[in-house]
């Protein structure tokens, strides 16, 4: 049917009907109609013409007009859509560049093909307006729980009707093997809302850890009120989960409040999560204490924390090992996610064997380098000495405090240790010079001869080479690849150089070379100190 030959009010009625159905502004539909009619008119009168259509918002009358724009003489190209200033004087009293001249043209009766094309333009514009409306409405609901009704399933993904929009629940965001049929009610977490030109815009999830946190917020009034806070959540969707909570009111037990009377509150969450078992854990600012809680129900004997590597070693009784690890490593994996730490679990027997191996290794080091018997070497290790530098430069009173050590023995031990270190330094300097190390690196404070030798073997032979290094290249670090933490060995790592020390050495070298302004270095140090203070206060 030709739109222009229809009752003029029918345009407005159609626009209002479409707008009501799609819940968008009727003016947007009318604008789409105007554009579609303009396209049809161009195909009738010629594509080189600028045809515009205006539909009266009250009467529905469509006015077709040919528009010509006033341009400068040198820009005049298309006499169908443009006028020079001189030509425009025939139509306008005082024409200016950019002015428009409108000539009304007869309305166009749409043929079948033109009507179909107009319909496609209108539908496209309506879809775009609908998607914009949907995005604006739901963008602030990201991170909340929403109720919906399953509309259909597409390739394992669920399309969910969420009121004034549709969301998609991808198959990897569903719990376990749960299945839904059309018209089933479903509760989901709004994981993301993105403005997309095609496809879904609202992405739902039932496996996201925050879905469980939001469910607890709905079931536990104290969490909603801020008296109890959820500090961390870890999930193995459909199987098991751990949630860490803290109470800001000493009279309220955070774990008890989340469990509820006879487990009513936690059971409501469990039922929604298809029977997922939930461990509710009291959060603690002390990392070791929090980890012990996180590994429940297993008992922990000892915790050894390596802050620099971000790793933690947990020692458990032999009979508790399988419980601590959990089925297929589930318990330790969830505890690791909850604490954001790499956790190594070992039995008391394994830890004892490792300590004995370290004891034997250090004993042999002192026997070989200081030329002493096994008994004396073991006494040094037992007192906490780990390397020759500690023996050589420690206050002599610490050596005299060891049973059986007199002043003469202490003097002799320290002399032997210093002689050995000096000999090693001499050999390291010779090796480094043979490898081509320049004096600029030898004269740089903070590097021992052994460090310079290690740098030379890695191709770092000048102060300029050293200044171009990254801190992790010297001190080592950790990177994550495919979800697995990987160790990057540092050139100076065996000398116990920390990341902070490496950064200071590199910045000092850059200042000496004039690459960095000393004030920038001071500013960076102040910023780092302020950050440490803020963390301590938090």
């Amino acid at each position: 049917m030709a739109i222009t030959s229809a009752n003029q009010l029918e345009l407005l009625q159609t626009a209002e009907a479409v707008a009501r159905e799609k819940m968008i502004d009727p003016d947007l539909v009318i604008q789409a109609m105007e554009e579609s009619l303009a396209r049809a008119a161009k195909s009738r009168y010629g594509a080189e013409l600028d045809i515009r259509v205006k539909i009266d918002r009250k009467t529905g009358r469509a006015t077709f007009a040919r528009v010509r724009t006033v341009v400068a003489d040198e820009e005049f190209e298309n006499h169908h859509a443009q006028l020079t200033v001189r030509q425009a004087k025939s139509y306008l009293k005082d024409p200016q560049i950019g002015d428009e001249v409108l000539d009304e043209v007869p309305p166009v009766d749409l043929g079948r093909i033109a009507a179909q094309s107009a319909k496609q333009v209108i539908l496209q514009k309506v879809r775009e307006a609908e998607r914009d409306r949907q995005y604006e409405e739901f963008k602030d609901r990201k991170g909340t729980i929403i109720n919906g009704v399953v509309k259909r399933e597409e390739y394992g993904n669920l399309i969910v009707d969420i009121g004034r929009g549709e969301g998609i629940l991808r198959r990897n965001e569903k719990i376990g093997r749960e299945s839904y049929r059309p018209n089933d009610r479903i509760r989901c977490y709004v994981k993301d809302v993105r403005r997309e030109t095609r496809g879904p815009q609202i992405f739902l999830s039932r496996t996201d850890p925050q879905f469980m946190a939001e469910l607890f917020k709905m079931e536990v009034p104290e969490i909603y009120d801020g008296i109890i806070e959820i500090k961390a959540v870890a999930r193995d969707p459909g199987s098991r989960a751990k949630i860490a909570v803290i109470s800001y009111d000493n009279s309220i037990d955070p774990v008890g409040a989340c469990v509820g009377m006879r487990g009513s509150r936690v059971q409501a969450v469990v039922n929604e999560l298809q029977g997922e078992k939930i461990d509710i854990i009291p959060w603690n600012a002390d990392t070791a204490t929090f980890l012990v809680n996180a590994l429940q129900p297993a008992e922990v004997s000892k915790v050894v924390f390596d802050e620099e590597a971000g790793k933690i070693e947990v020692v458990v009784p032999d009979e508790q090992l399988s419980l601590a690890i959990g089925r297929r490593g589930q318990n330790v994996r969830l505890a690791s996610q909850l604490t954001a730490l790499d956790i190594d679990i070992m039995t008391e027997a394994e830890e004892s064997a490792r300590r004995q191996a370290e004891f034997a290794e250090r004993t042999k080091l002192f026997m070989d380098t200081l030329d002493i018997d096994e008994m004396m070497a073991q006494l040094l290790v037992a007192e906490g000495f780990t390397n020759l530098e500690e023996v050589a430069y420690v206050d002599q009173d610490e050596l005299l405090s060891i049973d059986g050590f007199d002043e003469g023995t202490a003097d002799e031990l320290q002399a032997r240790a210093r002689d050995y270190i000096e000999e090693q330094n001499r050999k390291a300097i010779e090796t480094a010079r043979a490898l081509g190390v320049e004096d600029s690196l030898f004269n740089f404070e903070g590097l021992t001869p052994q460090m310079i030798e290690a740098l030379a073997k890695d191709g770092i032979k000048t102060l300029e080479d050293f200044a171009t290094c990254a801190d992790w290249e010297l001190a080592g670090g950790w990177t994550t690849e495919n979800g697995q933490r990987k160790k990057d060995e540092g050139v100076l790592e065996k000398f116990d150089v920390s990341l902070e020390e490496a950064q200071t050495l590199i910045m000092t070298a850059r200042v000496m070379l004039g690459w960095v302004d000393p004030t920038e270095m001071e500013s960076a140090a102040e910023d780092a100190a302020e950050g440490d203070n803020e963390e301590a206060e938090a």
Side-chain angles (χ1 to χ4, degrees), residues 145-403:
I145 286 179
I146 201 165
N147 292 308
V149 176
V150 176
K151 288 185 74 174
R152 63 188 181 278
E153 186 172 351
E154 296 177 353
Y155 308 106
N157 305 323
L158 293 182
I159 305 302
V160 181
D161 183 349
I162 49 178
R164 297 181 62 177
E166 281 185 359
I168 183 169
L169 179 68
R170 299 192 187 280
R171 62 176 138 191
N172 61 329
E173 297 290 349
K174 293 192 287 187
I175 298 173
R177 299 195 181 109
E178 66 180 1
S179 60
Y180 293 91
R181 291 179 294 185
N183 298 320
D184 282 353
R185 295 197 64 79
I186 188 170
R187 186 185 284 182
C188 300
Y189 176 75
V190 182
K191 189 173 184 178
D192 198 8
V193 180
R194 298 197 296 265
R195 191 188 292 275
E196 304 280 355
T197 53
R198 297 184 62 188
Q201 295 192 122
I202 303 167
F203 300 89
L204 308 175
S205 175
R206 285 176 56 79
T207 60
D208 194 283
Q210 290 305 311
F211 178 46
M212 187 174 76
E214 289 296 316
L215 287 172
F216 269 104
K217 191 180 292 185
M218 294 170 67
E219 296 293 336
V220 184
E222 291 87 348
I223 295 177
Y224 183 82
D225 294 337
I227 299 170
I228 294 174
E229 183 186 354
I230 297 172
K231 299 291 283 187
V233 184
R235 286 182 68 193
D236 194 348
S239 177
R240 190 165 185 169
K242 291 179 183 284
I243 181 168
V245 291
I246 184 173
S247 173
Y248 295 112
D249 185 336
N250 294 333
S251 64
I252 295 177
D253 171 27
V255 175
C258 291
V259 171
M261 187 72 70
R262 296 181 182 175
S264 58
R265 291 174 175 177
V266 72
Q267 194 57 47
V269 177
V270 169
N271 292 341
E272 180 63 44
L273 299 178
Q274 305 293 323
E276 195 170 307
K277 294 175 183 172
I278 301 173
D279 296 336
I280 303 172
I281 295 159
W283 185 83
N284 197 296
D286 179 63
T287 304
T289 305
F290 180 35
L291 181 60
V292 170
N293 294 339
L295 282 169
Q296 293 176 1
E299 296 176 8
V300 176
S301 303
K302 187 165 70 172
V303 174
V304 181
F305 187 37
D306 183 349
E307 288 188 39
E308 189 174 319
K311 291 184 66 174
I312 202 159
E313 290 180 349
V314 176
V315 181
V316 298
D318 293 17
E319 67 277 5
Q320 293 281 315
L321 181 63
S322 60
L323 191 61
I325 294 173
R327 189 176 50 146
R328 297 175 187 168
Q330 187 183 64
N331 194 53
V332 68
R333 185 171 65 253
L334 289 175
S336 180
Q337 291 175 20
L338 201 69
T339 56
L341 290 166
D342 271 353
I343 302 172
D344 288 337
I345 292 186
M346 62 178 67
T347 63
E348 291 175 343
E350 289 171 339
E351 199 243 351
S352 175
R354 191 189 67 175
R355 288 179 60 189
Q356 287 176 9
E358 288 179 356
F359 189 90
E361 184 181 342
R362 289 171 184 166
T363 299
K364 188 174 186 307
L365 169 70
F366 289 139
M367 288 172 64
D368 292 345
T369 56
L370 299 177
D371 192 22
I372 55 177
D373 61 26
E374 185 177 10
M375 177 79 69
M376 186 174 287
Q378 287 178 347
L379 283 172
L380 286 171
V381 177
E383 286 297 320
F385 289 93
T386 59
N387 55 56
L388 281 180
E389 284 75 9
E390 290 177 358
V391 176
Y393 303 113
V394 77
D395 192 317
Q396 197 177 87
D397 290 341
E398 292 194 32
L399 290 172
L400 294 175
S401 65
I402 301 174
D403 287 341

Side-chain angles (χ1 to χ4, degrees), residues 439-483:
D439 288 342
S440 61
L441 201 58
F442 278 113
N443 298 332
F444 181 65
E445 273 189 51
L447 295 177
T448 65
Q450 282 89 353
M451 289 181 183
I452 294 172
E453 180 187 14
L455 290 169
K457 288 178 179 178
D458 202 59
I460 301 166
K461 301 176 183 179
T462 67
L463 192 60
E464 287 81 358
D465 293 340
F466 184 77
T468 58
C469 292
D471 50 9
W472 61 267
E473 289 180 297
L474 300 182
W478 295 82
T479 54
T480 302
E481 289 184 8
N482 301 322

Side-chain angles (χ1 to χ4, degrees), residues 46-61:
E48 67 276 7
L49 272 67
D50 183 4
I51 304 290
R52 297 182 196 173
V53 179
K54 186 70 177 173
I55 296 175
D56 190 288
R57 301 312 195 251
K58 292 182 179 179
T59 65
R61 181 175 180 271

